[in-house]
Amino acid sequence: MTAADLAAAWSRAEPVVSAHARLPPGAIDASTWATVASGDVAHRQSDEGTRGIGVLAESQAALWLAITDDHPVQVVSGLVQVAWNGGWAANKLLYERLDLPWPFQDRQWVVRTETNLAVAPSGAWERAWSNAPEELANARAKTSADAFDAALSIPTNQGSWILLPVSQNETLCIYQARVRLGGSLPAGAADRYADASLPELFRATLEDARSMHARYVSSCDQPGGDGVTIPCVPR
């Protein structure tokens, strides 16, 4: 798919996404579309955080299941996550802990992750999350207590995935994260980490989507980003 094809597909969805997304991705320039069309993940860092854009060779439905999977096989290195108070594509809480190299203290947080149905008329689906620090104490019993007690909670974690089908088995994926790790880490460290891990995140998401058939059965059907039920192992 060419850069022009991708830009055209996005231009049709963009007005609704910009008006209703929890995190509108902002302007996407020609150089970004060229990078994406070449098969790479386009990175951007700004004062607002990190943005990654790429095309993954799977359906919107399969990738939606991957980004809402409670037990993904592939995750970014050093990340532990536990879902509760909901599951899969339902609204839920997600505890995550990031293992940082010595001498830095591990970081942890709880986010509330939700589907934003307002963007669905565009054809795009958005899964967004925001910090839920009031829930952090409830996560201690759901993970290693020693690791929990040793980790530092972070002040900010907000983000989203936006998935837009651009062909039958190709999906434009936009990932955004606004994270502040706090503590003694240098300013901008979270953005640099997120930016560096974007290719790994996109690869892990694709691998997780492709492994659904081996790991699940159709009894775990889930609502898609438009609220319509999709099978857990779509084809």
Side-chain angles (χ1 to χ4, degrees), residues 136-155:
L136 186 60
N138 296 327
R140 186 177 187 273
K142 305 176 189 304
T143 187
S144 162
D146 289 343
F148 182 96
D149 292 340
L152 181 68
S153 61
I154 69 172

Side-chain angles (χ1 to χ4, degrees), residues 6-164:
L6 293 171
W10 177 246
S11 70
R12 293 189 289 270
E14 190 273 337
V16 173
V17 174
S18 292
H20 298 291
R22 300 284 177 82
L23 283 182
I28 303 175
D29 60 25
S31 64
T32 297
W33 291 126
T35 298
V36 175
S38 74
D40 291 333
V41 176
H43 305 202
R44 187 194 73 177
Q45 277 188 303
S46 69
D47 292 341
E48 294 184 344
T50 297
R51 185 186 74 184
I53 304 177
V55 170
L56 295 180
E58 262 295 350
S59 69
Q60 182 188 45
L63 290 165
W64 180 259
L65 293 172
I67 67 171
T68 60
D69 190 354
D70 290 339
H71 305 288
V73 172
Q74 301 291 333
V75 295
V76 173
S77 299
L79 185 67
V80 173
Q81 62 180 39
V82 180
W84 85 96
N85 199 33
W88 281 85
N91 294 348
K92 64 186 176 186
L93 296 171
L94 191 64
Y95 167 79
E96 295 182 311
R97 185 175 65 252
L98 181 62
D99 181 17
L100 293 177
W102 186 90
F104 299 113
Q105 192 173 2
D106 291 352
R107 297 300 197 268
Q108 63 186 352
W109 56 88
V110 171
V111 292
R112 183 170 285 103
T113 174
E114 302 171 315
T115 299
N116 179 13
L117 294 173
V119 303
S122 71
W125 295 353
E126 184 186 32
R127 186 72 175 183
W129 60 90
S130 57
N131 217 27
E134 71 281 2
E135 297 287 349
L136 186 60
N138 296 327
R140 186 177 187 273
K142 305 176 189 304
T143 187
S144 162
D146 289 343
F148 182 96
D149 292 340
L152 181 68
S153 61
I154 69 172
T156 304
N157 190 330
Q158 181 184 19
S160 75
W161 279 100
I162 295 174
L163 307 180
L164 176 69

